[in-house]
Amino acid sequence: MKSLIKNFLVFFTVFLLMAAVFSRFGGAGQKAASVGIETLVSQLNNQAVAQVAIVGDKIELTLKNGQSQTVKKEPGDTFSQIVKNFNIEPAKLSGVKIEVRADQGLDYWLAAILPFLLPFLLISVFIYFMMRSVQGANSKALMFGQSQAKEAGREFKGKITFKDVAGVKEAKAELAEVVEFLRSPKKFSEVGARTPRGVLLLGSPGTGKTLLARAVAGEASVPFFSISGSEFVEMFVGVGASRVRDLFHKAKKSAPCIVFIDEIDAVGRRRGAGLGGSHDEREQTLNQILVEMDGFDPNTNVIVIAATNRPDVLDPALLRPGRFDRRVILDEPNLADREAILKVHSKQKPLGKEVSLKRAAERTPGFTGADLANLLNEAAILAAMKNKKIIDMEDIFASVEKVMLGPERKSRILSVKEKKITAYHEAGHAIVAHFMPNADPVQKVSIIARGQAGGYTLKLPLEDKHMYTKTEYVEEIAILLAGYVTEREIFGQVTTGATSDLRRATGLARKLITDYGMSETLGPRTFGEKDEMIFLGREIHEQRDYSEKAAEQIDKEISNFIDQAVHQAKGLVKTRREFLEKTVAALLEKETLEKEEFESIVGEKAKAE
Ligand code: ADP
Ligand code: MG
Ligand code: ZN
């Protein structure tokens, strides 16, 4: 906005200057005094005029005494008309020289041309300024051929090393080899070992792929060129490929070094499977990466590290030997890893003495490194908001729930009736979860709205779990449906509050049948082939590889699972009605029950065998 005003001011000044110059020019021709028509008439009558020159709309008079004067006339009027109109006797004109000259004054030309010229002038000035401001923003587009790889690593401040990456032991061990190779390549070439060329880091988002790649560069003290796959994909076809060329060119010059391609799935997608217009560009970019990696001579110490969370969509050509033949998997952190990651991130944060990172780790199954880093940050913010100097356990637990379920929405006021329904709904979940032998223990029950949920029941496994049995899944479905079942038992009808529970229960039941082969009637097979085509960030394609009849059976089987679960849940709600009522009463009074409070009502959870 500021620059717009500035531009306008500049333009305006130029305009004023131009106007001044023109009026000067115009003034040069007007040395003569300007007089009215009546003066002209009287001077003619007095025979004081020696010469009359008619120039356009002006009459220039030269008087006998040598003075000159100009008279403006109406454009239509001719000199002879004036003579006639003012009844000047022809005899009085006899001694006067009369000439008619073409108007060639500057103002004449300006008057003639300016109406045509001005719009052009204005438009070109406008375009000029437009171009200038666009160029500012887009000057990068003019250098599109160059990669925007950022170099970091060698001596850069706050160098990241393996110490900063907690957990992921196997990955670090694998990458230690790469570090060793970058440090002393001779050792390897002497025994004829082919050195690794490309390393592919695989792991879900937030597991520390980018962090680990930086750490490798930091450990080896070599330059680190990093570029993200999405940066290759640009408006113009061919730009990606030329960026790749440029990137590798730079890298080869500063070998030994690391080239890090983040989010390689953005370009490395299986070729020919593209959807939408940009896949040509992707293919070219990918081809160029392959060409560059093949073109290294064996002694170039450039190691390409790429990261992705979608190995399934990568082009097989990327994975063949000599390219990204090393694959390093970053698992989601287990209990011990989570504690270690929390420790790394709590270094800069003043924690209270009673804070146990182990307990925080226990509460956060399924959290990735990024989630954990975020969790501690949220806790620090919470502590600061309360004007505390240290972060205590309460802050950490509160932010666990915030990260998991979204912020509390205390402002959402429930009517007395809604509150009662929510209390029964959540108490239903909690009671059924508590008395299901295989379910995880309930940590917290609350009827305070959080994120999308009206209330929530939080249950967490005691240890990391990787495998689930059919029994556990069916119990899980029963717990999901417990809110619905309780509402029906108590109020005779259900509310919209159970919608998402129903959706999740149905989804889980379907998965049991189609993905896990847990249905007795349909047997050990999967149904439906999920095609990894991503369109607008969503999988749109599920190929049906089963018959219409099977589809019907799946539907029926889903209903069977759901019925079974409803039956189980209903049984528990009926037999433990007394506990349910007590829990509801406590919830209505306190709104939130911690594990201890809940267990003081229902007793300790019985362990499953
Ligand atoms: P990815 O690239 O796998 O999506 P990042 O490497 O960008 O994940 O991780 C994001 C952030 O999460 C890191 O900057 C770091 O703060 C934190 N983080 C992730 N994994 C770890 C880990 N294993 N140890 C310490 N911090 C981690
Ligand atoms: Mg990343
Ligand atoms: Zn529910």
Side-chain angles (χ1 to χ4, degrees), residues 202-209 308-309 330 332 368:
L202 308 175
S204 347
T207 43
K209 299 181 293 294
T308 180
N309 47 24
L330 281 80
E332 270 162 37
T368 62

Side-chain angles (χ1 to χ4, degrees), residues 260-273:
F260 178 53
I261 306 176
D262 211 351
E263 324 275 344
I264 197 175
D265 43 300
V267 286
R269 226 156 251 251
R270 198 163 288 144
R271 283 170 290 184

Side-chain angles (χ1 to χ4, degrees), residues 1-48:
M1 200 57 225
K2 228 172 155 184
S3 72
L4 202 75
I5 293 171
K6 208 179 91 192
N7 285 347
F8 180 75
L9 281 180
V10 169
F11 176 65
F12 196 66
T13 333
V14 169
F15 185 79
L16 279 184
L17 271 173
M18 268 165 58
V21 169
F22 284 147
S23 63
R24 284 275 316 237
F25 273 119
Q30 280 180 10
K31 274 168 281 169
S34 170
V35 295
I37 290 183
E38 75 289 340
T39 323
L40 165 75
V41 173
S42 70
Q43 272 165 350
L44 281 173
N45 281 330
N46 296 341
Q47 293 198 312

